Amino acid sequence: MASRKTWYLLVDRTPKDGSWNMAVDEFLFREVKEAPLTFLRFYTWSRPTASLGYYQKTERVVDLEVCRRQGVDIVRRMTGGKLVLHHEEVTYTVASSEVDIFSTSLRESYRLVSEALILGLKRLGLEAHLAAKTPERYARGDLPCFSFPAEDEIEIKGKKLIGSAQKRVGQRFLQHGSIPLRNNASLL
């Protein structure tokens, strides 16, 4: 008989600032190191926040002065990926070290989380699916996250619906993603 898995659902109903949100995600990533464990977290942001992927160069993707004038905070994520403007959205995090569920491959675990999100979206009546290929100009450029859907990201009618990024170390990973509730292209 297989052992029953315990997952922890964390729903932060009060919006928090970007540094708090990123600190909680990093804490969850450290927690799953000790034993096979999974956390699923949903949260929101107290003010518009630009999060930069771990490897992005700040000066190439964000104008610090414009962000200051517009009241946009800036944080760096522990995951890769491109700049995301977090505002009027729901953000999710999956942190896990359960390789029997999620695999040891970054690509496979990313795809599995995306497929679970698609199932949830279908229950809401949305016809979402995985994007097939990353456009070359998007892959090599400094465009923001929601410019184009990348391979295995969630799209509807060719438009990216959820932007996600993952960090993996050995058997543990953290994947978080942005689910915008409104189009904030003008602020971006």
Side-chain angles (χ1 to χ4, degrees):
M1 184 167 139
S3 64
R4 184 178 171 135
K5 303 289 182 184
T6 301
W7 287 23
Y8 295 92
L9 174 62
L10 308 171
V11 180
D12 293 342
R13 297 189 190 283
T14 303
K16 304 286 192 305
D17 70 24
S19 58
W20 175 267
N21 282 331
M22 295 301 93
V24 171
D25 280 357
E26 288 187 38
F27 173 80
L28 296 176
F29 183 66
R30 285 194 308 271
E31 283 296 297
V32 300
K33 183 178 184 179
E34 301 305 318
L37 186 61
T38 299
F39 292 99
L40 173 59
R41 176 179 179 231
F42 292 97
Y43 57 97
T44 58
W45 304 71
S46 59
R47 58 190 289 172
T49 303
S51 73
L52 284 65
Y54 185 80
Y55 298 102
Q56 288 190 294
K57 296 189 183 318
T58 305
E59 64 278 0
R60 290 189 64 174
V61 296
V62 70
D63 184 325
L64 298 174
E65 181 56 29
V66 169
C67 287
R68 186 191 63 72
R69 280 196 318 266
Q70 296 290 329
V72 175
D73 287 343
I74 301 169
V75 295
R76 183 166 302 278
R77 299 185 309 272
M78 66 184 289
T79 57
K82 299 187 180 280
L83 179 135
V84 175
L85 176 63
H86 302 280
H87 183 55
E88 300 180 317
E89 71 168 41
V90 174
T91 305
Y92 78 88
T93 297
V94 176
S96 183
S97 54
E98 296 187 78
V99 296
D100 57 327
I101 296 171
F102 290 107
S103 125
T104 58
S105 157
L106 184 148
R107 183 176 177 144
E108 180 67 10
S109 54
Y110 187 97
R111 188 185 57 74
L112 288 169
V113 172
S114 292
E115 287 176 348
L117 290 165
I118 286 173
L119 288 174
L121 293 167
K122 286 186 178 183
R123 291 188 73 167
L124 294 172
L126 300 171
E127 286 302 316
H129 61 276
L130 295 179
K133 188 176 178 192
T134 304
E136 188 68 27
R137 66 181 183 177
Y138 176 69
R140 297 191 183 276
D142 291 320
L143 295 168
C145 175
F146 282 89
S147 299
F148 295 96
E151 185 174 356
D152 289 339
E153 288 193 309
I154 299 168
E155 67 178 0
I156 294 179
K157 296 181 181 175
K159 302 287 185 191
K160 185 185 293 192
L161 182 65
I162 300 175
S164 302
Q166 188 181 116
K167 176 181 181 79
R168 177 174 280 282
V169 175
Q171 295 190 352
R172 64 190 168 121
F173 77 93
L174 179 134
Q175 180 170 321
H176 47 198
S178 170
I179 308 168
L181 302 175
R182 295 189 200 290
N183 181 341
N184 285 296
S186 62
L187 183 58
L188 181 60

